[in-house]
Each structure stands twice: as C-alpha cells, then as structure tokens.
C-alpha cells in the first residue's frame, strides 16, 4: 500500500512538472533563458473608441468632408491627426480640420486618390451618415508652436491640418499669411471659409498661375514659423525658399522619398530564427515571411501598428511617428531598417 501511494505521488508530481514546464515555455520560447517582456506593438497601448458619421459633404471636386460624433471623443489641438478603422478593417490616418472647440465632433476631409491603396476610395464609397467606425485618440506631430508670426503653405488636401491653425493663430493675435495651391479652384476645398480672412490668403490655382510662387517666403521676418503640408516637391521648395530652414515645420501625407538601402540580417529572438532582408524589401516583408501573423497597417511609418522592440543593433529610423525616446528601444518595421549589418528584435 505504501509503495502504491509513493508511485501515485511521483506520477502526480511528474504531471504537475510537465504542465508547469509547458506554461514556462509558452511564456518564453527561449527558456531556460530569462523571459522577455511583453513585445512592444503600436496596436495594443492605444485605446479604441467608437464614433458615428453624422455629416457628409463635398467641399470640392473629388473631396469629401466627414464629421464624426461621439461622447467618447477626446480634445485635440491644431495639427493633430487620428487613425480611422474603415469598414473593411483598413486603418488610415487623417488630419483633423474642424474646430477644437467643437467638442464631441471630429471633422476630416479626404481626397479620392485614383491610383492609391484603396483607403480614400473606401472613405468616399462607404462612409455615409449613420456608419459607425472604430477610431483612435488624436496624435500631434505637427503642433502649432507659439510665435509672433506664421507663414502657412498648403498644397491641395494639405490644407486640412492648416485650417485649424489659422483659427488658432487669429485667436492668439499673431500675424499670419497663407499660400494655398491646387490644381484648380474647383478642386481646392474650404475656399468659402478662407475668403473670410481677406488678403491674408493668397490662392494659387495651377491652371491660373502655374506652379506656386514662393518668393514671398524669402522676405519673412526673423521669428516667423513656417508651416507647410502638401506634396513632397512643394515641401522641398518651401524649405529651399525660407532664409532659415530650421523655422520650417512639415507635415507629410505621403512617405518621405526612399533613400538607398542595403541588405542586412534580422534576428528574431523570441522565435529563435534569423531572416535576411534584401536591399529592395522592407523589414516588415522579411519578418512576415517568418511570422505571417505580424500585424501592420499603413506601411508608411505613420500609424505605429508594426512597432516592435529592438534588442540589439543600431536602427536607421525612417518613420514620422516615434519620438526620440521611443526610437531608443523600438522601430517601425514597415519603413525602418538596420543601420549596420545586423539587428535583433523582440519577435
């Protein structure tokens, strides 16, 4: 009897040990090395809110203005943008162009991009009054800093983050001017709103004036901040035209121009494997060959969905999202790369 009890006890202990071992391995595939922290991902730390489309208008050819409303919507400041999860599950980023004082309502304006990746078309076709969306709280990488004077430059739909800045600058009593270019007056949204500002606003429709004349920027006074949003050629031209380029603040709605890249080795520590990243592919593409379920969204370095922790190796950061502190230990897989021959990730 005593022998039977001993055998039963040992068998039970063995079962408990195996279960504990399986749990330990699930927590850290590299066991018996120390368990790593939970992976950093732009997906998890940002809460999701719900909002409903309450208004849809067309302020210009090829542009829709969408107003979202909800009691959950937090306050925002001029220059902020938000993430919208469209009905298909696609996540896209849009600048807020309404009035920050209008609490509980967010306004965006979206131009249809015929040869784009499909987000703008879905906005135009699917976002009608009554549709509910998941949204994420605003982020502001284009904050309007205090200054005695501003020179604003907008190209096309780049007027969206600039519009609330004009209201804020006016309320603060600052001097400001706006150069606003587009293909034609018919395609340039918000012209009635801008007309109220009189000669502070200079319209530069390309079919009437040709390429925007930026020579007024050469004469801006010291202390004037320059805010520009629009196509990359316009932003480069603005930076070149201003006497002090450090006074220029830019907001891109397309990724920065690609720069030369080289291949590197990517070590995936949690998975215990390595992949080679070719010069002509993204880090995200290489990761998804080994880990197909790795989340991603914008693929342009804006949304943060593919942010992950860097465990070793310097990073060539090419995003427009992470702060300097965040870049110290993480990267966006869709645009950033290794700065040298090898990098290790917590994946």
């Amino acid at each position: 009897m005593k022998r039977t009890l001993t055998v039963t006890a040992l068998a039970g202990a063995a079962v408990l040990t195996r279960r504990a071992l399986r749990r330990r391995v699930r927590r850290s595939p590299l066991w018996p090395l120390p368990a790593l922290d939970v992976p950093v991902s732009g997906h998890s730390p940002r809460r999701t809110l719900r909002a409903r489309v309450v208004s849809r208008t067309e302020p210009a050819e090829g542009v829709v203005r969408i107003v979202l409303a909800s009691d959950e919507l937090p306050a925002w400041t001029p220059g902020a943008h938000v993430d919208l999860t469209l009905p298909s599950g696609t996540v896209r980023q849009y600048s807020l162009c309404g009035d920050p004082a209008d609490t509980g309502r967010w306004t965006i304006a979206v131009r249809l991009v015929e040869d784009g990746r499909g987000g703008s078309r879905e906005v135009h076709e699917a976002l009608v009054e009554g549709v509910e969306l998941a949204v994420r709280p605003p982020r502001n990488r284009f904050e309007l800093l205090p200054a005695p004077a501003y020179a604003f430059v907008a190209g096309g739909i780049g007027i969206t983050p600039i519009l609330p800045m004009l209201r804020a600058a006016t309320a603060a009593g600052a001097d400001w001017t706006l150069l606003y270019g587009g293909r034609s007056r018919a395609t340039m949204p918000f012209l009635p709103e801008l007309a109220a500002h009189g000669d502070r606003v200079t319209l530069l429709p390309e079919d009437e004036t040709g390429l925007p004349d930026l020579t007024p920027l050469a004469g801006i006074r010291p202390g004037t901040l320059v805010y520009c949003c629009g196509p990359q050629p316009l932003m480069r031209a603005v930076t070149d035209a201003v006497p002090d380029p450090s006074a220029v603040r830019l907001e891109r709605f397309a990724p920065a121009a690609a720069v030369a890249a080289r291949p590197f080795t990517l070590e995936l520590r949690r998975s215990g494997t390595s992949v080679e990243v070719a010069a002509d592919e993204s880090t995200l593409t290489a990761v998804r060959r080994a880990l197909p379920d790795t989340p991603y969204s914008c693929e342009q370095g804006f949304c943060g969905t593919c942010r992950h922790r860097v465990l070793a190796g310097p990073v060539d950061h090419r995003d427009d999202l992470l702060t300097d502190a965040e870049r110290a230990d993480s990267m966006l897989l869709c645009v950033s790369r290794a700065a040298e021959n090898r990098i290790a990730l917590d994946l």
Side-chain angles (χ1 to χ4, degrees), residues 47-70:
R47 60 194 175 108
T48 299
L49 313 170
R50 301 296 300 181
R52 182 187 298 272
V53 177
V54 296
S55 174
R56 172 194 169 104
T57 56
E58 298 183 7
E61 290 180 4
V63 177
V64 293
R65 173 168 41 195
I66 303 292
V67 179
L68 302 167
S70 170

Side-chain angles (χ1 to χ4, degrees), residues 3-297:
R3 177 181 175 84
T4 300
L5 291 175
T6 301
V7 171
T8 302
L10 290 174
V15 170
L16 293 175
T17 300
R18 284 198 299 271
R19 289 177 179 173
L21 179 60
R22 283 198 295 269
R23 288 195 298 268
R24 188 67 181 83
V25 170
R26 280 197 297 270
R27 288 199 304 271
S28 176
L30 300 182
W31 187 86
L33 296 177
L36 296 171
D37 294 334
V38 176
V40 169
S41 170
H43 231 34
S44 55
R46 303 189 60 231
R47 60 194 175 108
T48 299
L49 313 170
R50 301 296 300 181
R52 182 187 298 272
V53 177
V54 296
S55 174
R56 172 194 169 104
T57 56
E58 298 183 7
E61 290 180 4
V63 177
V64 293
R65 173 168 41 195
I66 303 292
V67 179
L68 302 167
S70 170
D71 293 338
E72 296 184 81
L73 300 183
W76 58 281
T77 55
H81 70 273
V82 295
D83 296 348
L84 268 58
T85 301
L86 302 179
S88 67
T90 297
V91 179
R92 291 291 183 266
Q93 296 71 43
Y94 299 108
S95 296
L96 292 171
C97 59
D99 185 349
D102 188 6
T103 57
R105 292 164 69 92
W106 288 350
T107 301
I108 63 170
V110 181
R111 183 178 299 284
L112 177 62
V113 181
E114 295 287 356
D115 58 350
R117 297 178 299 131
S120 68
R121 181 167 295 281
E122 186 172 0
V123 169
H124 277 245
E125 295 178 354
L127 295 197
V128 296
E129 289 187 24
V131 169
E132 283 197 355
L133 298 175
V135 299
R136 294 178 186 166
R139 291 174 292 182
N140 199 336
R141 310 292 292 182
F142 194 44
E143 184 179 3
L144 184 67
L145 301 176
Y150 302 94
F152 298 105
V153 184
I157 201 64
I159 189 62
T160 50
I162 299 295
L163 198 61
M165 292 184 177
L166 305 183
R167 301 187 188 102
T170 300
D175 284 336
W176 62 265
T177 60
L178 168 66
L179 300 177
Y180 179 23
R183 293 195 304 273
S184 66
R185 291 176 187 266
T187 64
M188 297 165 64
F190 306 117
L191 295 188
E193 292 93 327
L194 294 173
H197 296 296
D199 59 7
R200 285 183 168 187
V201 176
T202 300
L203 301 181
L204 300 169
E206 190 172 342
D207 62 347
E208 299 177 21
T209 64
L211 294 177
D213 179 10
L214 303 178
T215 54
L217 297 178
I220 61 173
R221 301 192 307 272
T224 300
L225 293 183
V226 181
Y227 281 79
C228 176
C229 182
Q232 288 191 53
L234 174 65
M235 292 191 289
R236 286 196 296 268
V238 167
T239 303
D240 291 341
V242 172
D244 178 11
S246 68
V248 179
R249 307 290 186 270
L250 303 176
E251 172 81 324
R252 296 182 175 89
F253 49 82
V259 296
R262 62 181 180 181
F264 62 94
T265 300
L266 181 63
E267 182 184 353
L268 307 177
R269 288 275 177 90
R270 283 179 182 263
S271 306
T273 188
S274 295
V275 295
E276 299 301 318
V277 184
D280 61 350
E281 70 175 345
S282 70
T283 307
L284 176 65
T285 299
V287 167
R288 285 179 59 82
R289 281 203 303 273
L291 303 172
D293 293 333
T294 302
Y296 70 100
S297 179

